[in-house]
Amino acid sequence: MITRVRDWRRGWHERSKLQRIDLYTRITLCTLPWIFLVTWGLLPLGKALGRGAPAVSLGAAFLAVNAAQCVLSNRNVAPAFAHYRGTEPFPRQRLRLPAVSLVVLTGLVVALAAVGAVDDAGMSLLVLDLPLAFTTPYALIVPVRRYLLHCALYAAVAVALMAAVGAPGRMLFGSAFSLLVASLLVLVSARPSAWSLTAMWQAEEARDMQARLAVAEERLRFGRDMHDVLGRNLSVIALKSELAVELAQRGNPAAVDQMVEVQRIARASQQEVRDVVRGYREADLPTELMGARSVLEAAGISVGVEGADGPAGIGAPAAVQAALGWVVRETATNVLRHGDPRHCRIRLTRTRDAVVLEVENDGAGAAASSGGPDGGGSGLAGLRERLGALGGTLGAGPAGDDLFRVTATVPLAASSRARPDGRAAPSSAVASVPASPEER
């Protein structure tokens, strides 16, 4: 016994607050029919003891059937809650035996009234207990209108049967009033309790869903950061490795220098990956502009950078610079990866309330045939998410004369939506930024 109590206490403390409230509500609804059985159902039958064997037999039968009805009610509370919450339908066959028990109880009450085993006041209390066990789960299964209609019909039938056996008018009035009160009492006890629990469980499920979405969003952000960090460096490593192979095949000692540079970029990539994992890395626009120039020129592409000294001079917020730094990194990677460009121009300007970055390169026809900067990858989609979180936009497409242009616009007011670590806070603007058909 002591072990069971300890196990029960341990199980209670291991439950969450919501689980405790749920259990407390269910236990309360299961206990109420028993409380009414030993009060309203038992006390009026005390006078039947002195009114002959038939009255005693009917009273004992009423208590036995009423106890069985309470047991059935307790078994149906949990499925009724599940039905009310919409998690699983209530098996209708579980109502057959309780309905039969209710019919038997009604017949016993009518018989008690016929033999005069209970006086008028006692009959009113006895009738109060009559439908409680059955209606406790039933109120959660059917709609309110149907429940009230069925209770009214049942009250009318029960009162009519009592009138048929010669019950006095005062008893009939008290019984009708008691049946209606009992039906309403169950309704205002069971359904609000179930509604409150449903609302709390839905709120709990919403919090769980929010947590799962936050994890999914963080995974997408991490994947996007890994793409942005490694994309360009891996392209440069591949390019320099090919150059080193060609130089080595020709016996040119410059191949060693190229492999040393590959080693340096690989080590830098390792550090950048560590920084991304730790959540500390953020793109720096001036650094990315200089890095893009050196990488593209190393690939034999003529690069013109306008406004390279502008980020600090124009007073762009740190969040704006960080977002545009990712744009420079991704577009430089795409220029290296797609097509066969010979010239690239990067221009940074400021309007009255926004900073505009344009990256333009030739060889758009070749880029389109090979997938292009706006191909099926996730690079520009990730940039749209970054800029969209700051209220910015990203446009990419042919600009005429075999040119391809990427234009990023970020409002200067974006700093107000930046988080303390420099990243953009989530915004509904992300959903409003259209993605290209390929990215979908």
Side-chain angles (χ1 to χ4, degrees), residues 142-195:
V142 298
V144 175
R145 290 185 178 180
R146 187 183 303 175
Y147 171 83
L148 293 176
L149 177 61
H150 291 176
C151 289
L153 291 176
Y154 171 75
V157 172
V159 172
L161 291 174
M162 294 176 65
V165 297
R170 180 180 297 179
M171 181 180 291
L172 296 177
F173 176 79
S175 299
F177 182 78
S178 296
L179 287 172
L180 294 178
V181 168
S183 302
L184 293 176
L185 178 63
V186 172
L187 182 65
V188 300
S189 299
R191 290 191 74 92
S193 299
W195 178 85

Side-chain angles (χ1 to χ4, degrees), residues 11 31 47 66 92 101 130-131 138 169 226 263-264 292 299 313 373-374 408:
T31 305
K47 295 183 179 181
N66 201 355
R92 296 290 176 172
S101 300
L130 186 60
Y138 191 70
M226 293 295 293
Q263 185 182 37
R264 184 192 66 79
D374 202 20

Side-chain angles (χ1 to χ4, degrees), residues 6 21 113 117 135 185 211 231 238 291 307 326 342 354 384:
R6 289 177 179 175
I21 295 174
T135 55
L185 178 63
W326 287 115
R342 296 183 301 275
R384 284 190 173 95

Side-chain angles (χ1 to χ4, degrees), residues 31-46 62-63 66-67 70 125-126 129 132:
T31 305
L32 286 178
W34 293 98
I35 294 176
F36 295 137
L37 169 64
V38 298
T39 54
W40 298 346
L42 180 60
L43 293 178
L45 295 176
F62 177 86
L63 290 177
N66 201 355
C70 291
L125 289 178
L126 199 64
D129 178 61
L132 281 173

